[in-house]
Amino acid sequence: MQQESEKTTYDREPNGEAMSPDVRDAKGSVGDEENQGVAPSAPPLSQEDLPSGPPPCPRAKLVFHTQLAHGSPTARIHGFTNVKELYAKIAEVFNISASEILFCTLNSHKVDMQKLLGGQIGLDDFIFAHVRGETKEVEVIKTEDALGLTITDNGAGYAFIKRIKEGSTIDRIKSVCVGDHIEAVNDQSIVGCRHYEVAKMLKEQTRGNPFTLRLVEPKKAFDMIGQRTRAPKSSEGKMVSGKETLRLRSKGAATLQEMPNEFEDKAIRKVDELLESYMGIRDQELATTIVEAGRDKNNPDDFAEALDSVLGDFGFPDVFLFEVWGALGDVKNGRI
């Protein structure tokens, strides 16, 4: 992340309303002259030079409430601009290592993939952090081309299972659950890999030959023990609440922005479904980036060029790009 001499923080009033940014000098906070050295004195103002009206109200930081999903006191965090910094803030207030956090859900302590924290957080959302629990190893024999897994990642180096297809190879292994972090394949660590890299590695496993998955399940509260959750067949639920959201980006600072409009919301959902169909991954932030790249493009060639400039590492196949372009057109024209 690029370092800047000034840091922008988004503030909110005690009643929860978002305020405009304050720019704070790197040497100290606003008005903290003792920490900034001696400045030249200005001549005293006369009475008519003084500003009229009440002084501006002090502004509080934009604060989010958080708990550990398996149970903990409520803590407050602020000052993060991406997912890694968010995990570091959570780890700090609960006195744990950031590497223990597998993923976060919004407004639910359950392993609910509809509430998974993606690239956006509503200003009133409550963050639940799911931490490492038991480690387990399972042997898998690939009997079909697809294992029946949908993979996502937490944006900080951990890939985990977001969906299990009913009746699939993985569905028949009852110890494998939605929310399990895939730590290694055949003793090869995949910590630090993106979800599409893990999906590709699993797809390349030879059919008929056994391989081993080392999984880490989220730590469970007592009321969740024995629960084997599976993402529903319906489309993903909204990830945010409130009229404004904090958009977390893998590159660059977080920004406050309006919730997606109806077109964007439908387009993001459709692209997310296409990602699962073609690549075996789900990623709302990735889907949002794809929709943004195609918003003002007039033809599929311009769209492909724009997508390659921001997501060239993915190497999307042409058939996927045409499917996405067609879906964006269907949404714009009201056919979806």
Side-chain angles (χ1 to χ4, degrees):
M1 183 176 298
Q2 183 178 357
Q3 298 295 322
E4 299 180 354
S5 59
E6 293 180 338
K7 182 178 180 182
T8 302
T9 58
Y10 288 95
D11 297 338
R12 61 162 47 176
E13 289 281 17
N15 62 5
E17 296 181 359
M19 301 296 292
S20 58
D22 278 334
V23 177
R24 301 177 183 271
D25 190 88
K27 297 179 181 177
S29 59
V30 174
D32 186 4
E33 296 181 355
E34 292 182 2
N35 294 331
Q36 299 178 18
V38 178
S41 300
L45 296 174
S46 63
Q47 192 64 34
E48 60 240 28
D49 292 329
L50 293 174
S52 59
C57 297
R59 294 164 179 166
K61 294 182 177 69
L62 183 61
V63 175
F64 293 88
H65 292 84
T66 183
Q67 287 183 1
L68 299 180
H70 64 279
S72 76
T74 299
R76 298 190 298 174
I77 57 174
H78 59 83
F80 55 88
T81 60
N82 55 48
V83 172
K84 288 186 178 180
E85 291 181 6
L86 166 62
Y87 288 2
K89 292 289 184 180
I90 295 173
E92 182 181 356
V93 296
F94 291 116
N95 195 28
I96 62 175
S97 169
S99 62
E100 292 186 50
I101 301 174
L102 299 182
F103 57 87
C104 293
T105 50
L106 300 178
N107 308 313
S108 174
H109 71 283
K110 297 181 179 180
V111 182
D112 184 346
M113 295 295 107
Q114 288 187 293
K115 303 294 179 66
L116 190 66
L117 185 152
Q120 296 179 346
I121 306 176
L123 298 187
D124 295 324
D125 281 341
F126 199 111
I127 303 170
F128 289 89
H130 299 255
V131 302
R132 294 175 65 96
E134 297 294 326
T135 300
K136 54 195 176 185
E137 286 196 358
V138 297
E139 185 177 84
V140 182
I141 298 177
K142 193 173 184 181
T143 57
E144 302 172 86
D145 290 336
L147 291 170
L149 283 179
T150 298
I151 309 296
T152 190
D153 66 55
N154 66 357
Y158 286 172
F160 58 94
I161 298 171
K162 189 171 185 179
R163 187 187 298 270
I164 298 174
K165 183 179 179 181
E166 188 173 354
S168 64
T169 299
I170 292 296
D171 189 42
R172 292 191 288 271
I173 306 174
K174 299 307 179 184
S175 59
V176 180
C177 299
V178 167
D180 285 352
H181 159 48
I182 305 174
E183 188 173 58
V185 178
N186 287 334
D187 292 327
Q188 178 185 345
S189 174
I190 57 171
V191 173
C193 294
R194 293 300 311 274
H195 49 0
Y196 59 91
E197 296 174 308
V198 179
K200 182 183 178 189
M201 185 182 299
L202 294 175
K203 188 173 183 179
E204 291 173 347
Q205 295 299 314
T206 306
R207 189 169 177 173
N209 289 337
F211 65 94
T212 302
L213 291 177
R214 184 163 75 239
L215 307 171
V216 180
E217 64 184 34
K219 192 171 184 178
K220 297 178 174 64
F222 289 110
D223 64 339
M224 297 167 66
I225 291 177
Q227 180 181 15
R228 185 173 195 253
T229 58
R230 181 180 289 104
K233 295 180 180 179
S234 60
S235 60
E236 298 287 304
K238 288 187 177 180
M239 305 297 169
V240 297
S241 62
K243 294 183 179 180
E244 285 187 309
T245 66
L246 184 68
R247 173 80 185 275
L248 302 176
R249 302 177 186 272
S250 56
K251 297 180 181 179
T255 56
L256 277 177
Q257 63 182 43
E258 293 293 322
M259 283 185 62
N261 57 35
E262 185 177 358
F263 158 72
E264 292 170 332
D265 190 48
K266 288 182 178 179
I268 290 168
R269 289 169 186 264
K270 182 59 180 178
V271 171
D272 204 18
E273 292 172 3
L274 289 172
L275 282 170
E276 182 176 25
S277 298
Y278 280 87
M279 301 182 68
I281 62 175
R282 288 293 280 243
D283 187 328
Q284 195 187 42
E285 182 182 4
L286 178 60
T288 301
T289 303
I290 292 173
V291 170
E292 289 175 347
R295 181 184 290 119
D296 58 351
K297 299 301 179 290
N298 297 318
N299 59 69
D301 290 335
D302 289 346
F303 169 60
E305 183 177 346
L307 203 59
D308 188 60
S309 67
V310 292
L311 296 171
D313 291 343
F314 282 82
F316 294 119
D318 290 341
V319 63
F320 172 78
L321 296 179
F322 280 108
E323 282 276 3
V324 171
W325 178 253
L328 295 179
D330 288 341
V331 173
K332 286 180 181 178
N333 296 318
R335 293 190 290 268
I336 293 181

